[in-house]
Amino acid sequence: MDALEKCYEEMGGDYKGVLGRLMKEERIIRFLIKFKNDNMLHTLEEALNEKQWEEAFRAAHSIKGVCANLGISQLEASSSDLTEALRDGEPKEDIAPLLGKVREDYELTMKVLDALE
């Protein structure tokens, strides 16, 4: 198992799926580095702190979409749950546990990506 495949295993990702889409490990690594350097979690948390629900929805949706394309399955799932909670604007439920899970998965992903470089 090579380093990239191990990285995907550690972060609960779909290595074979992303390799099928992007075709080359170099391309995957390039996009993972872009993802790592784009602090989407900060944007999400800022919007939530300011109760900008539409902006928070877009940020959560962006994380979900990028993770879907890059095969980062665990973070995709948690950000999808948060996206759905924000879909209709101000959430009807306490989203703290959902945000906590996104944060946990995001931090794990960043830790694994740090080791990849």
Side-chain angles (χ1 to χ4, degrees):
M1 178 182 307
D2 70 7
L4 185 59
E5 191 172 0
K6 186 172 189 257
C7 168
Y8 268 85
E9 184 178 290
E10 289 177 17
M11 66 182 174
D14 178 15
Y15 173 75
K16 290 182 181 172
V18 74
L19 185 60
R21 277 189 299 284
L22 298 182
M23 309 298 280
K24 295 181 180 182
E25 283 197 352
E26 297 80 23
R27 203 173 281 149
I28 297 169
I29 291 169
R30 186 173 72 235
F31 283 110
L32 287 173
I33 291 169
K34 283 180 93 169
F35 173 71
K36 182 179 168 290
N37 292 329
D38 185 356
N39 194 356
M40 293 183 199
L41 182 63
H42 177 74
T43 302
L44 171 62
E45 290 177 326
E46 219 173 63
L48 288 172
N49 286 337
E50 295 174 13
K51 297 185 181 344
Q52 294 178 343
W53 306 118
E54 190 174 322
E55 181 66 27
F57 169 79
R58 280 196 301 272
H61 193 272
S62 291
I63 293 170
K64 179 183 91 165
V66 170
C67 289
N69 287 327
L70 291 176
I72 306 171
S73 309
Q74 192 168 315
L75 181 53
E76 176 192 358
S78 60
S79 59
S80 179
D81 292 342
L82 183 57
T83 298
E84 291 311 309
L86 294 167
R87 184 169 295 281
D88 296 323
E90 185 172 355
K92 312 288 186 268
E93 61 184 273
D94 178 17
I95 61 168
L98 297 174
L99 179 59
K101 181 64 174 144
V102 168
R103 217 182 259 128
E104 177 185 318
D105 293 343
Y106 192 91
E107 289 170 5
L108 170 67
T109 301
M110 293 303 129
K111 179 181 172 188
V112 171
L113 293 179
D114 282 343
L116 184 64
E117 289 187 86

